[in-house]
Amino acid sequence: MATGRTQNAAEDDAAEPGEPPPDIETMRATAHRALALAAPPTATDVTLLIEQLRGQVELMVTEVEPLAAQHAATMTGALATVCVGEGRRKLAAGADIRPLASARLAYARRLARVLFALCDHHRNLSGADS
């Protein structure tokens, strides 16, 4: 499963030693795939997509939260903090998703939108070109 981490930790000074930075391009591609679905996907495809999105949202929440705390006195930091909370709420809501295909697809799209926002906040707060 794609975690959304690149293989080269030197790409991001904020990365923990031995831990690669988030692969924003992969995350955006996953989110775009969820939002661009034209035909109803199979249940297996939606499940896989949800698992990928959840893992990537979890990762970005942990990446953006400390950046937002560093910029807490700015509007950018405050907005990122709100987005981190929204990401957590979306993750927590996953347990309550009905098994209906339409409900699961709608949940995947909600995760995709918050993932896009978290990627944007990461870029804005870290100065990374992503």
Side-chain angles (χ1 to χ4, degrees), residues 2 7 10 12-13 15 19 26 28-29 37 39-40 55-56 64 67 74 88-89 92 99 110 119-120 127-128:
Q7 297 300 312
D12 184 4
D13 294 336
E19 192 164 326
T26 298
R28 287 185 184 279
L37 288 172
Q56 292 172 354
V64 172
L67 293 171
T74 68
R88 285 201 170 106
R89 282 187 289 283
R110 288 191 298 275
C119 289
D120 288 343

Side-chain angles (χ1 to χ4, degrees), residues 110-128:
R110 288 191 298 275
L111 287 171
R113 286 190 292 273
V114 79
L115 180 59
F116 270 130
L118 287 165
C119 289
D120 288 343
H121 287 299
H122 184 272
R123 180 194 61 225
N124 293 337
L125 294 171
S126 70

Side-chain angles (χ1 to χ4, degrees), residues 81-124:
T81 299
V82 170
C83 190
V84 165
E86 187 63 19
R88 285 201 170 106
R89 282 187 289 283
K90 298 282 189 261
L91 292 170
D96 298 329
I97 299 302
R98 294 180 296 174
L100 296 172
S102 60
R104 294 180 54 73
L105 184 55
Y107 177 62
R109 289 183 172 147
R110 288 191 298 275
L111 287 171
R113 286 190 292 273
V114 79
L115 180 59
F116 270 130
L118 287 165
C119 289
D120 288 343
H121 287 299
H122 184 272
R123 180 194 61 225
N124 293 337

Side-chain angles (χ1 to χ4, degrees), residues 5 23 26 45 67 71 94 112 121:
R5 288 265 186 205
D23 184 352
T26 298
D45 289 343
L67 293 171
H71 297 86
H121 287 299

Side-chain angles (χ1 to χ4, degrees), residues 8 11 22 31 39 43 46 68 80 84 93 108:
N8 185 358
E11 292 176 12
V46 172
V84 165

Side-chain angles (χ1 to χ4, degrees), residues 40-75:
T42 66
T44 302
D45 289 343
V46 172
T47 299
L48 178 60
L49 187 57
I50 287 172
E51 288 176 10
Q52 288 174 330
L53 288 164
R54 285 181 58 83
Q56 292 172 354
V57 169
E58 287 173 9
L59 174 62
M60 290 309 291
V61 162
T62 62
E63 291 285 326
V64 172
E65 187 169 39
L67 293 171
Q70 291 172 4
H71 297 86
T74 68
M75 180 62 76

